[in-house]
Amino acid sequence: MLKPNLSEAKKRTNKEVLTKSFEYTKLDNLKELGSGKKYFIRTYGCQMNEHDTENIKAILENMSYVETDNYEEANLIILNTCAIRENVHNKVFGMLGRIKNLKENKDDVIAAVCGCMAQEEVVVNEILEKYNYLDLVFGTHNIHNLPRLLEKAVSKKEIEIEVISGEGSVLENLPVKRDSKFKAWVNVMLGCDKFCTYCIVPYTRGKQRSRNKDNIISEIKQLVEEGYSEVTLLGQNVNAYGKDLEGNYGLSNLLNDVAKTKIKRIRFVTSHPWDFTDDMIATIKSNDNIMPYIHLPVQSGSTKILKSMGRMYSKEEYMTLFNKIKSNINNVTITTDIIVGFPGETEEDFKETIDLVETCKFDSAFTFAFSARVGTPASKMKETVSDETKKRRLNELNEVVNKYAKIANDKYLGKTVSVLLEKESNKEGFLSGYTDTMKLVNVKASEEMLGQIVYVYINDVKTWSLNGEIRS
Ligand code: 5AD
Ligand code: SF4
């Protein structure tokens, strides 16, 4: 049993980051382990988790497991979890209760928890105490060991736990079963060294590790060959790419090189304002295949709160960057993340957040009530905002955010925009996709058009989506 350890997870050393390659040979004698069996996987949280799930699916299918979207008919259930807020914790624990019922009524069910919650010492202790009918817990640093771990879990009665708490390595050549045939996630850096005081990610995902650029470029070239039109470069703090490597090669250089692969659309998430350079702005501006869409979390409009969050910029510095991006990149969309109810946030601080949203008029924002995460500095701060006040502030904020989301979308009425048609829409006979500026568009089109980038005339506007018709 290898349990997570918070003090190990906190460490940052100068140890060199190891790059490991996934060894298919390890699978050789386990290729039939899942023969005749079905797996169900549920993913919580961010794109990084979704991409990990794509790796896990491929590993399982290489072991002959077949996917099902009904957990009740699965022989293997995996919950790939997120630790960022309490409400996801609660959802996961609720699902564990349902899995318990299933296990009581059905033999031959292996249940596993992985992802960021598995990296939390408190969670694993709780699992050992109350949910020890689970078969396997594995962390974010050892997905590549899944075949071996499953072999153990299948053959033994007690729970198998392998969670490595450390700075992490870079894994290359993990197999992947991508959700989409048209757009792909590509990890460019893993982990985070920013240690914002509320955030659990630096403890669950390890230190900042950038992938070697040649590996990234060859993955993208391969995607182009396979017919992919869009890549999203992923990193918890993507614009710090390269800072842990020798030399001055950073995200701006990487974006330029990715642009040369001629992939039609390039996106990148998530950007921390601190690392957003003028070079990046110039690069986005000068390459047509880098999309004019930037997710730039602000978190709060109060400089006092930003300081306490450890964000390393003031409200004014954020605004300066925001305006620079807006005035330099034609037609750019900027979205953000905001937390309300951080310890010490007064009504005045909250009003500054509302004012900032009124000034920036974000195209959209993900808004959250502060949730204390064990082990983070903010969890030791005295909570000064009641749950009721957090809820009220969140509602007020959402109203303002929604108002500007609709205003931003209204500007599209009567315009023609390019859209990558990526999936069937909920409405029959319609497909949906995103504009270069990341607006969701629904359009009447036949299935054969999936994967095409088409021009769409927008004739109807909602707060969170646009409707239109194809123009040739
Ligand atoms: N409480 C509330 N929101 C949080 N986020 C991260 N940690 C917390 C927390 N402890 C939000 C931030 C981040 C987004 C992914 O989740 O806004 O940008
Ligand atoms: Fe968390 Fe993002 Fe801050 Fe890193 S930069 S600690 S991932 S909020």
Side-chain angles (χ1 to χ4, degrees):
M1 185 181 298
L2 185 57
K3 283 170 54 184
N5 176 321
L6 185 62
S7 59
E8 281 301 311
K10 274 182 185 162
K11 279 189 191 157
R12 290 296 185 270
T13 68
N14 290 330
K15 261 194 284 174
E16 202 185 324
V17 171
L18 286 178
T19 297
K20 299 185 197 158
S21 200
F22 182 75
E23 292 171 51
Y24 280 94
T25 49
K26 281 197 183 146
L27 274 179
D28 275 354
N29 60 336
L30 299 174
K31 278 204 171 119
E32 299 301 323
L33 193 82
S35 186
K37 294 182 178 164
K38 293 184 177 170
Y39 75 90
F40 168 90
I41 184 161
R42 177 163 290 169
T43 313
Y44 302 83
C46 67
Q47 295 99 334
M48 194 75 75
N49 257 18
E50 283 183 33
H51 190 37
D52 285 350
T53 289
E54 294 183 331
N55 293 131
I56 292 171
K57 284 184 179 180
I59 293 176
L60 295 177
E61 294 189 16
N62 282 337
M63 296 169 77
S64 309
Y65 282 98
V66 175
E67 186 172 6
T68 169
D69 56 10
N70 176 4
Y71 78 96
E72 289 180 343
E73 63 171 40
N75 310 93
L76 168 64
I77 301 174
I78 300 185
L79 304 184
N80 187 7
T81 62
C82 166
I84 220 145
R85 282 175 301 276
E86 188 63 30
N87 56 358
V88 187
H89 264 225
N90 298 342
K91 277 190 205 159
V92 170
F93 284 124
M95 186 66 190
L96 290 184
R98 288 197 284 284
I99 291 173
K100 184 176 187 209
N101 286 341
L102 184 70
K103 275 176 77 81
E104 278 166 358
N105 294 309
K106 190 175 162 198
D107 293 333
D108 188 26
V109 181
I110 297 285
V113 166
C114 66
C116 287
M117 273 172 70
Q119 294 292 143
E120 290 182 280
E121 210 174 311
V122 280
V123 169
V124 172
N125 287 338
E126 191 171 347
I127 286 178
L128 281 171
E129 232 173 77
K130 299 192 207 145
Y131 304 87
N132 58 6
Y133 53 85
L134 282 172
D135 302 279
L136 173 63
V137 178
F138 62 99
T140 57
H141 296 304
N142 49 345
I143 290 175
H144 58 297
N145 274 345
L146 181 56
R148 198 179 51 73
L149 291 169
L150 266 180
E151 185 190 25
K152 275 201 201 168
V154 167
S155 63
K156 73 180 213 185
K157 283 273 164 280
E158 68 273 26
I159 184 166
E160 171 71 20
I161 297 190
E162 186 181 289
V163 180
I164 299 165
S165 300
E167 299 175 313
S169 50
V170 173
L171 261 175
E172 291 294 344
N173 295 328
L174 269 179
V176 58
K177 182 193 175 200
R178 298 190 188 272
D179 280 345
S180 164
K181 292 195 195 74
F182 319 119
K183 61 178 203 177
W185 312 113
V186 175
N187 284 338
V188 302
M189 56 89 71
L190 310 155
C192 182
D193 285 348
K194 282 283 181 287
F195 287 99
C196 301
T197 56
Y198 52 80
C199 185
I200 193 83
V201 168
Y203 311 88
T204 60
R205 290 273 170 182
K207 84 167 167 188
Q208 174 180 320
R209 291 103 68 202
S210 298
R211 277 179 78 196
N212 170 302
K213 79 161 171 49
D214 296 334
N215 292 336
I216 299 170
I217 299 296
S218 57
E219 182 175 341
I220 295 172
K221 281 187 176 159
Q222 164 112 29
L223 287 165
V224 175
E225 265 173 40
E226 289 170 17
Y228 278 83
S229 294
E230 182 174 309
V231 287
T232 302
L233 312 184
L234 287 183
Q236 301 290 353
N237 179 13
V238 70
N239 44 356
Y241 172 80
K243 288 196 160 183
D244 52 308
L245 300 175
E246 278 187 19
N248 291 322
Y249 190 93
L251 186 70
S252 160
N253 308 84
L254 182 68
L255 283 170
N256 265 314
D257 283 340
V258 174
K260 286 185 200 135
T261 65
K262 298 278 181 257
I263 185 106
K264 291 185 183 130
R265 294 174 145 208
I266 302 160
R267 304 188 190 276
F268 56 99
V269 282
T270 285
S271 299
H272 188 299
W274 174 262
D275 291 308
F276 214 104
T277 62
D278 290 354
D279 275 358
M280 280 176 211
I281 297 177
T283 300
I284 299 164
K285 191 175 164 175
S286 60
N287 286 288
D288 288 343
N289 54 351
I290 304 179
M291 298 296 97
Y293 162 69
I294 291 161
H295 185 59
L296 194 69
V298 62
Q299 312 297 4
S300 169
S302 150
T303 297
K304 180 192 95 190
I305 295 295
L306 286 169
K307 193 152 185 239
S308 174
M309 288 175 161
R311 291 292 289 179
M312 299 182 298
Y313 52 83
S314 62
K315 172 175 77 179
E316 290 73 23
E317 282 162 337
Y318 183 91
M319 287 301 309
T320 305
L321 175 63
F322 180 94
N323 289 330
K324 206 191 297 177
I325 294 172
K326 277 271 176 191
S327 57
N328 276 285
I329 305 172
N330 198 12
N331 193 30
V332 71
T333 294
I334 302 181
T335 57
T336 200
D337 291 346
I338 299 170
I339 299 174
V340 299
F342 189 79
E345 185 188 74
T346 60
E347 216 46 48
E348 199 43 49
D349 295 317
F350 173 63
K351 198 174 164 300
E352 284 197 69
T353 297
I354 297 283
D355 287 348
L356 180 109
V357 175
E358 296 272 2
T359 314
C360 292
K361 305 176 174 51
F362 294 106
D363 281 72
S364 107
F366 296 102
T367 57
F368 311 100
F370 169 72
S371 148
R373 315 312 301 136
V374 175
T376 60
S379 70
K380 296 183 192 100
M381 296 176 190
K382 189 171 177 298
E383 285 233 35
T384 55
V385 187
S386 68
D387 284 352
E388 208 188 337
T389 306
K390 280 183 195 168
K391 214 186 245 172
R392 196 242 315 139
R393 288 184 188 166
L394 197 58
N395 286 342
E396 266 179 48
L397 176 62
N398 285 342
E399 257 177 48
V400 184
V401 165
N402 294 355
K403 179 175 86 183
Y404 287 108
K406 178 70 166 54
I407 291 174
N409 274 2
D410 280 344
K411 294 193 189 121
Y412 284 75
L413 193 64
K415 290 222 170 95
T416 300
V417 289
S418 74
V419 177
L420 167 60
L421 298 173
E422 61 179 64
K423 59 177 184 235
E424 284 173 39
S425 152
N426 295 336
K427 204 163 141 194
E428 218 187 305
F430 281 70
L431 299 181
S432 67
Y434 290 87
T435 63
D436 49 0
T437 53
M438 206 63 180
K439 302 282 179 191
L440 178 64
V441 177
N442 294 304
V443 63
K444 193 160 193 270
S446 61
E447 228 178 278
E448 302 85 71
M449 297 191 79
L450 278 172
Q452 292 184 23
I453 297 178
V454 293
Y455 285 98
V456 177
Y457 175 79
I458 302 299
N459 54 21
D460 182 27
V461 173
K462 307 261 187 284
T463 304
W464 301 118
S465 63
L466 308 170
N467 296 321
E469 53 197 50
I470 293 179
R471 285 280 155 92
S472 47

